[in-house]
């Protein structure tokens, strides 16, 4: 069998992680078996379309590292690849169903349909179309047309049929046609519905496998009835598990408490390798306890026998951990490029990318690289270095101790004579002070950190002091000592003036 799969999003918003996971599973399956990946835009819901959404979606997919063999931007032998550009292909098939009495015109108004559904609910029945227009004749159609009544086209669902198929994830699935109800295949504006368009397009594009989310499982029954009506061989289906939030509920696009669009993660300074790695593990497992897998490894190992049936929980903290792992594999310069736009946006670097700004930013990256989880975090971590805070109550309490003041004084007297303000030379000063005073560990480092940075915790102190610079560190140390009444030699610090 020639493998042909498709990802068919609707251009109604940003690329959601659920959609991205579906695209990834399709892509992995196609690449694993040397098949073709098709991108198709299902834009039949014109009311919900957002201008520019298609372009942004394509951009996000490409950022993830996914490509396709056919699509609206690359062409192909089975185009066009937008539903609204395929109306000429749908019309003959709609007419065929009408002529064969497998479909009919429905002139029910929206108000009538709403009232019918409410009546069914009151009777404790599952709301579905009653079939009130099933018996209309062509003469009735002409009469209602003359009255200016709008109509939809409904598929005539055959009664008493059992619809069964083998799903690659869920196994044997069965539906009864009596529970479906005649469904609309063409709207009143002449545009086919999703159910009709997707069935026709999958057949005409020779799709071998339909890989999509579990929420589409109930749609499959109606689509299989359409396949039967046309005499088309159906594709193989694989319905992958729902993506859940940490409360075990289906992840909602309207939940603003969680970042869940690919574009947002890109803009926060995540790397695509981490996002892809995390998405692949939402419902699929490599069969062991590995969590870090490259794209090549994913292609080599992906299969549906390792896709679970139960919902997959999306954990943003795990994605941050995974992204941090990938960031540690970047060079300092690569990490700087990822963080640079965020430093500029925070006002910590100029947009002109001057040499002084970039040197400061590079050193900030080196200082915090082991703590970084995503690019936008660097201004949060390093921003204080541009304007260190004054010592707070906790720091002041430490600096009241005579041993702390002695540590700061000894360090100040030694470091103020440095000509090379590098982390290595500052670290050497600490060693000399330790040897001269006998002060070690927290007894030396914490007072100096509190006085110079206004904090008692942070990254390697010698690197922090080097990044703050001589003109910031020395005045802060001297001011602290003067406030505490510590006597300093008159010429102390003369070499830095």
């Amino acid at each position: 069998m020639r493998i042909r799969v498709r990802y068919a999003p609707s251009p109604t918003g940003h690329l959601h992680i659920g959609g991205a996971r579906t695209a990834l599973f399709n892509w992995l399956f196609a690449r694993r078996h040397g098949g073709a990946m098709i991108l198709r835009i299902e834009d039949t819901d014109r009311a919900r379309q957002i201008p520019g959404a298609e372009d942004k979606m394509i951009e996000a997919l490409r950022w993830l590292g996914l490509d396709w063999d056919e699509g609206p931007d690359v062409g192909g032998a089975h185009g066009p690849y937008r539903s609204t550009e395929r109306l000429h292909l749908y019309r003959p098939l709609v007419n065929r169903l009408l002529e064969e009495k497998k479909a009919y015109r429905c002139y029910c108004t929206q108000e009538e349909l709403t009232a019918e559904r409410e009546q069914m609910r009151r009777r404790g029945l599952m709301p579905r179309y009653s079939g009130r227009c099933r018996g209309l004749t062509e003469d009735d159609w002409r009469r209602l047309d003359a009255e200016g009544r709008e109509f939809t086209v409904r598929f005539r669902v055959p009664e008493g049929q059992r619809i069964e198929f083998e799903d690659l994830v869920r196994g044997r699935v069965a539906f009864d046609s009596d529970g479906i109800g005649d469904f609309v295949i063409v709207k009143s504006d002449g545009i086919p519905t999703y159910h009709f368009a997707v069935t026709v397009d999958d057949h005409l594009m020779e799709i071998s496998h339909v890989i999509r989310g579990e929420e589409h499982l109930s749609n499959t029954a109606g689509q299989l009835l359409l396949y039967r009506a046309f005499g088309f061989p159906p594709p193989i289906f694989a319905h992958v598990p729902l993506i859940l939030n940490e409360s075990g509920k289906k992840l909602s696009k309207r939940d603003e408490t969680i970042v869940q669009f690919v574009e947002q993660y890109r803009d926060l300074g995540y790397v695509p390798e981490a996002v892809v790695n995390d998405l692949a593990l939402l419902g699929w497992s490599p069969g062991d306890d590995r969590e870090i897998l490259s794209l090549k490894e994913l292609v080599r190992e992906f299969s549906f026998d390792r896709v679970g049936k139960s919902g997959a929980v999306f954990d943003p903290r795990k994605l941050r951990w995974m992204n941090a792992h990938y960031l540690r594999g970047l060079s300092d310069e690569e990490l700087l490029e990822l963080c640079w736009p965020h430093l500029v946006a925070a006002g910590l670097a100029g947009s002109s990318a001057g040499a002084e700004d970039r040197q400061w930013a590079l050193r900030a990256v080196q200082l915090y690289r082991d703590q970084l989880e995503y690019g936008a975090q660097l201004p949060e971590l390093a921003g204080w270095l541009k304007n260190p805070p004054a010592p707070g109550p906790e720091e002041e309490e430490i600096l009241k101790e005579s041993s702390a003041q002695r540590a700061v004084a000894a360090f100040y007297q030694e470091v103020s004579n440095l000509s090379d303000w590098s982390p290595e030379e500052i670290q050497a000063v600490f060693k000399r002070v330790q040897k001269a005073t006998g002060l070690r560990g927290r007894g030396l480092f914490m007072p100096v950190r509190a006085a110079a940075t206004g904090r008692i915790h942070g990254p390697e102190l010698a690197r922090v002091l080097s990044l703050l610079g001589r003109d910031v560190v020395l005045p802060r140390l001297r001011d602290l000592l003067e406030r505490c009444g510590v006597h300093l030699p008159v010429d102390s610090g003369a070499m830095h003036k």
Side-chain angles (χ1 to χ4, degrees), residues 6 40 197-207 210 227 235:
R6 48 72 169 178
R40 189 174 73 224
V198 72
T199 302
V200 171
D201 289 343
D202 284 345
H203 170 71
L204 295 180
M205 292 184 180
E206 302 177 27
I207 300 302
V210 171
Y227 278 108

Side-chain angles (χ1 to χ4, degrees), residues 150-167:
E150 291 186 340
F151 66 88
T152 61
V153 177
R154 287 185 181 271
F155 180 72
R156 192 186 300 272
V157 174
E159 298 175 351
Q161 289 198 12
R162 188 163 178 81
I163 307 149
E164 295 183 283
F165 66 98
E166 195 71 29
D167 191 278

Side-chain angles (χ1 to χ4, degrees), residues 49-68:
Q49 285 183 42
I50 296 176
E54 179 185 321
D55 291 339
K56 288 186 177 181
M57 198 169 291
I58 288 175
E59 184 180 319
L61 288 169
R62 291 205 182 281
W63 178 77
L64 289 172
L66 307 184
D67 59 355
W68 39 94

Side-chain angles (χ1 to χ4, degrees), residues 139-207:
D139 288 340
D140 293 325
W141 295 356
R142 284 189 285 271
R143 174 177 55 80
L144 292 167
D145 287 344
E147 294 176 7
R149 295 282 293 270
E150 291 186 340
F151 66 88
T152 61
V153 177
R154 287 185 181 271
F155 180 72
R156 192 186 300 272
V157 174
E159 298 175 351
Q161 289 198 12
R162 188 163 178 81
I163 307 149
E164 295 183 283
F165 66 98
E166 195 71 29
D167 191 278
L168 290 181
V169 176
R170 316 202 72 78
R172 197 70 179 168
V173 181
F175 296 94
D176 290 321
S177 65
D178 292 345
I180 298 175
D182 297 348
F183 54 88
V184 176
I185 58 174
V186 179
K187 293 174 284 188
S188 59
D189 61 2
I191 302 296
T193 61
Y194 161 80
H195 293 293
F196 183 84
V198 72
T199 302
V200 171
D201 289 343
D202 284 345
H203 170 71
L204 295 180
M205 292 184 180
E206 302 177 27
I207 300 302

